[in-house]
């Protein structure tokens, strides 16, 4: 487990940008935390660093928002599972297909149940009483040698 602190929105965007620098095809970044914790903000920082010109919308209603190689240096599917009621619904989304040549950023991964990939980078975001975010990451082996934070 690795832990770090983000003081505000700018730092959350910067954390996403740092993860973008080491992101590669096949990766899954799973972001968990309550409503308003900063999951989408971190994802926006990552997408902007990969080349997205406009601000990424939250995929809450679309569930899966794909970005292709014309928009980003690496295709990414930004996924928000908040509205799913049953982990079995995840199979209908075809998320594995996005991993073949791109990466996934998944918000609310706990809604996947046992379907979450064992090689996913798990990042839990907790809002502390002063509004500061504490991020705790569980690094799978594929992330340990390229982890961008001290």
């Amino acid at each position: 487990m690795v832990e770090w602190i983000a003081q505000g929105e700018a730092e959350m965007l910067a954390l996403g940008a740092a993860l973008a620098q080491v992101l590669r095809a096949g990766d899954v970044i799973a972001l968990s935390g309550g409503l308003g914790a900063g999951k989408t903000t971190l994802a926006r920082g990552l997408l902007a660093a990969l080349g997205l010109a406009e601000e990424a919308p939250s995929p809450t209603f679309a569930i899966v928002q794909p970005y292709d190689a014309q928009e980003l240096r690496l295709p990414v599917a930004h996924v928000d599972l908040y509205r799913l009621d049953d982990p079995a619904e995840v199979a209908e989304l075809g998320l594995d297909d996005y991993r073949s040549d791109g990466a996934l950023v998944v918000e609310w991964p706990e809604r996947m149940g046992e379907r979450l990939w064992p090689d996913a980078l798990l990042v839990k975001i907790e809002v502390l009483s002063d509004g500061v975010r504490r991020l705790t990451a569980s690094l799978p082996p594929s992330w340990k040698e390229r982890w961008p934070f001290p």
Side-chain angles (χ1 to χ4, degrees):
M1 295 284 225
V2 178
E3 191 173 287
W4 70 108
I5 297 291
Q7 297 289 337
E9 182 178 1
E11 287 190 17
M12 288 295 285
L13 292 168
L15 291 171
L19 289 172
Q21 300 308 309
V22 297
L23 191 68
R24 55 190 184 203
D27 282 343
V28 175
I29 299 176
L31 305 173
S32 67
L35 289 170
K39 298 178 297 294
T40 300
T41 300
L42 192 145
R44 285 180 176 146
L46 180 139
L47 292 165
L50 290 174
L52 188 64
E54 70 276 353
E55 182 176 275
S58 172
T60 300
F61 294 103
I63 300 178
V64 178
Q65 179 63 52
Y67 298 95
D68 62 29
Q70 295 172 348
E71 298 173 283
L72 306 177
R73 74 165 173 80
L74 173 70
V76 172
H78 184 188
V79 182
D80 186 329
L81 302 176
Y82 181 73
R83 294 183 9 187
L84 295 188
D85 294 322
D86 184 341
E89 294 176 275
V90 173
E92 298 171 21
L93 300 175
L95 298 180
D96 284 321
D97 296 341
Y98 292 104
R99 294 185 73 190
S100 64
D101 65 347
L104 288 169
V105 176
V106 180
E107 297 185 33
W108 300 95
E110 55 276 6
R111 306 253 177 174
M112 294 182 77
E114 298 297 318
R115 295 179 182 272
L116 184 62
W117 301 270
D119 61 341
L121 170 64
L122 304 174
V123 179
K124 180 180 178 189
I125 306 170
E126 178 184 5
V127 181
L128 304 179
S129 60
D130 56 2
V132 169
R133 270 59 174 173
R134 177 175 40 220
L135 293 90
T136 307
S138 297
L139 304 179
S142 64
W143 278 87
K144 288 185 179 177
E145 76 276 357
R146 59 188 162 118
W147 185 243
F149 307 108

